[in-house]
C-alpha cells in the first residue's frame, strides 16, 4: 500500500503530512493512521527523499497562501457563500482552503467560517444531498462532504452519514443489477437531472475522495448498517477510462506510446479529442494531464497497491508528460484544476523528487509553488485567461491555488 499517514486538512510542518489510505475508526477529522512502507521499486523510480527543509521557501509559500485567503475573506458574500449561491461546491472549496491553512487553524468562532458553514448547512437536502436545486448534485455533495469533514465538528456526523449514503446511491449500474455489463458501471456522474446520465472521471474522483475519507462513518457501530460503495465496480470504471491495453478492452484504447497509461474523461470521451489511424481507420481517445492525475488519485482511494500495473502505467504517463506550462493535451483549459490535482496526487502518493522519463529529477513542489506564486495577482487572487470549466471565476481558481499551495507547504 501507499505509505500515507496524517490528517487530510490540517497541514503541519515537516514530512509525513499526508492522509491515510487505510480505514479510520476515529471520529470526524481524525483520519490519522500509520501505513505500510513503500515497495523498494517505487522509492527508486519515483521519489528521492528530501534532505532538509527550506524554511525560507516555506515562508514564501505561506505568504502566498495568506494573500489568497485574504482575497477570499474580502470577497465572501453577506450570506456566507462565494461566487454563486447556485453551487455550494465553490463555497465548500473556499472553506477547505481556510481549514487547511498551515499557519493556523481557523477557530469555529471565526465569522468567515461561521457564515460559510451556515450557508453550506442551509444547502443540505432531506435526502442527504448537498445542493441548491441547480444541478451538479454529486459535484456539490462531494465537495460539501469534504468541507464539513474539514470543520472537525462532531455535530456534523449525522449529516455526513446521510450525505455519504446518498453518494453511494449514485454509483452507476446501467445493465443487469449487480453485474458489470456497462462501461459506465461503477462510476458516478453529475447525478439526477444530468442530461448525459453517465459516469465521468471528474465526478467519480470527487465522490471517491469524499467516500474514502468518511469510511470510518460507515464502519462505526450503529443500529442500522450504512450502505457502502462497490469499490471493485469503481475500479472497473476507472480501468475503462485508462489508456491501457490488456486492462481496458474497449475499442477506442490507444496503441500510441504517448497515450499509454493516461486517462480520458469517460469510457466514450476524451476532452483532449481523438486520433484516427489513417491505415486502419481506428479512432483512439487521447490521454490528458488533469484527468490522469485524477486517475492516479482515484486508484489510491480505491486502495490499489503502488506496484499495481495500472498504477505504474499512469505514473509512467505522468513522468513522461510532466509540465507546468499547460494542462498536457488541453493547453490552458482547466490549468488550475490541473495544478490543484497534481499537487494533491503527488503529495498523497508521497512523491518528493519526481524522476522523469527523460532523466531529470524534478523538485515538483518548488517548481509548482514558484509557478503559482508568479501567477498570483497583486490582490492575492488567481484567474485563468481561459474560461473553460469556470476558470475565469476568481473565487474558484483562488481556492484551487490556495489548496495546491497548502498541499505543497505540508511537504516542504
Amino acid at each position: 500500500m501507499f505509505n500515507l499517514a496524517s490528517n487530510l486538512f490540517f497541514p503541519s510542518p515537516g514530512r509525513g503530512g499526508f492522509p491515510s489510505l487505510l480505514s479510520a475508526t476515529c471520529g470526524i477529522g481524525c483520519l490519522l493512521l500509520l501505513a505500510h512502507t513503500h515497495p523498494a521499486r517505487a522509492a527508486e523510480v519515483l521519489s528521492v527523499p528530501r534532505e532538509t527543509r527550506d524554511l525560507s521557501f516555506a515562508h514564501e509559500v505561506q505568504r502566498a497562501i495568506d494573500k489568497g485567503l485574504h482575497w477570499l475573506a474580502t470577497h465572501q458574500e453577506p450570506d456566507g457563500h462565494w461566487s454563486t449561491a447556485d453551487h455550494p461546491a465553490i463555497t465548500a472549496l473556499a472553506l477547505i482552503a481556510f481549514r487547511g491553512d498551515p499557519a493556523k487553524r481557523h477557530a469555529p468562532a471565526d465569522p468567515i467560517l461561521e457564515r460559510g458553514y451556515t450557508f453550506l448547512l442551509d444547502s443540505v437536502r432531506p435526502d442527504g444531498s448537498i445542493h441548491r436545486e441547480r444541478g451538479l448534485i454529486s459535484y456539490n455533495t462531494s465537495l460539501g462532504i469534504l468541507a464539513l469533514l474539514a470543520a472537525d465538528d462532531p455535530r456534523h456526523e449525522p449529516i455526513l452519514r446521510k450525505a455519504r449514503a446518498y453518494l453511494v446511491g449514485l454509483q452507476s449500474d446501467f445493465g443487469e443489477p449487480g453485474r458489470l455489463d456497462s462501461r459506465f458501471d461503477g462510476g458516478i456522474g453529475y447525478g439526477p437531472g444530468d442530461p448525459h446520465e453517465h459516469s465521468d472521471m471528474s465526478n467519480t474522483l470527487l465522490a471517491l475522495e469524499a467516500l474514502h475519507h468518511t469510511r470510518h462513518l460507515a464502519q462505526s457501530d450503529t443500529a442500522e448498517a450504512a450502505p457502502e460503495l462497490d469499490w471493485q465496480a469503481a475500479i472497473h470504471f476507472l480501468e475503462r477510462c485508462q489508456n491501457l491495453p490488456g486492462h481496458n478492452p474497449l475499442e477506442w484504447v490507444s496503441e500510441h506510446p504517448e497515450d499509454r497509461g493516461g486517462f480520458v474523461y469517460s469510457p466514450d470521451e476524451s476532452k483532449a479529442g481523438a486520433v484516427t489511424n489513417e491505415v486502419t481507420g481506428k479512432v483512439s481517445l487521447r490521454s490528458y494531464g488533469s484527468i490522469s492525475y485524477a486517475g492516479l488519485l482515484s486508484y489510491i482511494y480505491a486502495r490499489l497497491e503502488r506496484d499495481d500495473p495500472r498504477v505504474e502505467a499512469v505514473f509512467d504517463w505522468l513522468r513522461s508528460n510532466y509540465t507546468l506550462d499547460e494542462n498536457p493535451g488541453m493547453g490552458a483549459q482547466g490549468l488550475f484544476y490541473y495544478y490543484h490535482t497534481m499537487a494533491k496526487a503527488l503529495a498523497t502518493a508521497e512523491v518528493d523528487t519526481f524522476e522523469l522519463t527523460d532523466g531529470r529529477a524534478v523538485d515538483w513542489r518548488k517548481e509548482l509553488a514558484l509557478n503559482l506564486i508568479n501567477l498570483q495577482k497583486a490582490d492575492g487572487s488567481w484567474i485563468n485567461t481561459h474560461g473553460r470549466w469556470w476558470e475565469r471565476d476568481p473565487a474558484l481558481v483562488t481556492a484551487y491555488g490556495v489548496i495546491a499551495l497548502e498541499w505543497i507547504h505540508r511537504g516542504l
Side-chain angles (χ1 to χ4, degrees):
M1 279 264 184
F2 291 78
N3 180 18
L4 305 173
S6 189
N7 193 296
L8 174 59
F9 299 105
F10 305 126
S12 59
R15 293 284 298 116
F18 307 108
S20 172
L21 293 186
L22 303 181
S23 60
T25 55
C26 52
I28 294 293
C30 176
L31 301 176
L32 298 175
L33 286 174
L34 297 178
H36 304 295
T37 57
H38 284 303
R41 182 183 182 278
E44 292 171 2
V45 173
L46 296 172
S47 181
V48 176
R50 301 176 68 85
E51 297 297 329
T52 59
R53 187 165 189 242
D54 187 340
L55 291 177
S56 175
F57 187 62
H59 290 315
E60 286 187 64
V61 174
Q62 180 63 60
R63 183 171 184 272
I65 292 169
D66 291 343
K67 289 173 62 179
L69 291 176
H70 177 75
W71 187 92
L72 287 171
T74 56
H75 287 78
Q76 186 183 35
E77 297 298 328
D79 70 350
H81 79 266
W82 277 270
S83 176
T84 174
D86 290 345
H87 296 293
I90 299 177
T91 295
L93 281 167
L95 291 171
I96 291 168
F98 277 103
R99 291 295 288 159
D101 180 5
K104 57 183 181 298
R105 297 188 188 184
H106 287 249
D110 187 314
I112 296 169
L113 295 183
E114 282 191 336
R115 290 193 297 269
Y117 277 108
T118 296
F119 174 82
L120 190 61
L121 290 168
D122 284 344
S123 304
V124 175
R125 321 308 294 178
D127 62 3
S129 61
I130 303 171
H131 67 101
R132 307 290 279 200
E133 299 182 349
R134 297 285 183 171
L136 311 184
I137 295 176
S138 72
Y139 173 70
N140 286 294
T141 300
S142 295
L143 284 168
I145 287 173
L146 291 170
L148 289 171
L149 191 63
D152 199 24
D153 188 338
R155 293 175 298 177
H156 295 158
E157 271 202 32
I159 297 170
L160 287 166
R161 289 182 193 281
K162 200 166 184 179
R164 189 182 197 281
Y166 181 86
L167 272 188
V168 168
L170 293 181
Q171 188 172 31
S172 298
D173 189 356
F174 287 100
E176 184 178 338
R179 293 188 60 183
L180 300 176
D181 46 12
S182 165
R183 63 185 63 191
F184 297 105
D185 282 356
I188 292 176
Y190 279 109
D194 174 30
H196 301 291
E197 295 185 352
H198 65 63
S199 316
D200 64 78
M201 279 296 304
S202 179
N203 284 294
T204 296
L205 166 63
L206 284 175
L208 294 184
E209 185 170 6
L211 293 171
H212 165 72
H213 289 297
T214 53
R215 285 196 199 215
H216 60 290
L217 297 179
Q219 294 169 351
S220 60
D221 295 331
T222 57
E224 185 176 334
E228 183 54 283
L229 192 78
D230 184 338
W231 288 90
Q232 287 304 311
I235 293 171
H236 164 89
F237 174 75
L238 298 175
E239 287 180 330
R240 276 145 187 77
C241 294
Q242 188 174 19
N243 254 318
L244 190 58
H247 289 272
N248 186 349
L250 299 181
E251 66 282 352
W252 56 259
V253 174
S254 176
E255 297 173 0
H256 298 283
E258 59 266 31
D259 290 317
R260 188 183 189 281
F263 276 75
V264 302
Y265 181 71
S266 76
D268 66 352
E269 178 189 5
S270 173
K271 300 298 184 183
V275 176
T276 302
N277 187 305
E278 295 181 357
V279 177
T280 66
K282 176 181 176 177
V283 177
S284 301
L285 300 184
R286 297 182 59 215
S287 301
Y288 64 103
S290 53
I291 222 65
S292 295
Y293 280 111
L296 171 60
L297 267 176
S298 296
Y299 276 151
I300 292 174
Y301 296 141
R303 297 181 172 182
L304 291 195
E305 300 286 346
R306 182 69 172 259
D307 59 355
D308 186 288
R310 294 161 292 186
V311 177
E312 288 186 333
V314 66
F315 260 123
D316 286 343
W317 190 91
L318 294 169
R319 293 168 63 224
S320 297
N321 291 273
Y322 173 85
T323 182
L324 301 178
D325 295 335
E326 63 175 352
N327 178 2
M330 299 300 299
Q333 299 176 57
L335 184 61
F336 285 86
Y337 174 77
Y338 169 68
Y339 293 151
H340 163 267
T341 312
M342 172 195 284
K344 186 181 292 186
L346 292 180
T348 301
E350 289 196 326
V351 175
D352 289 331
T353 301
F354 206 16
E355 300 285 352
L356 308 186
T357 53
D358 64 7
R360 287 183 295 149
V362 174
D363 185 344
W364 69 268
R365 287 186 181 87
K366 193 160 193 175
E367 288 195 359
L368 179 54
L370 286 172
N371 189 65
L372 285 168
I373 289 169
N374 287 334
L375 292 172
Q376 190 173 31
K377 294 185 176 296
D379 64 3
S381 68
W382 284 271
I383 195 167
N384 193 347
T385 57
H386 198 292
R388 194 170 188 187
W389 300 311
W390 300 357
E391 288 208 355
R392 281 207 186 103
D393 182 340
L396 174 70
V397 177
T398 300
Y400 280 158
V402 169
I403 293 169
L405 288 174
E406 288 168 351
W407 278 94
I408 289 167
H409 188 282
R410 70 183 74 177
L412 292 177

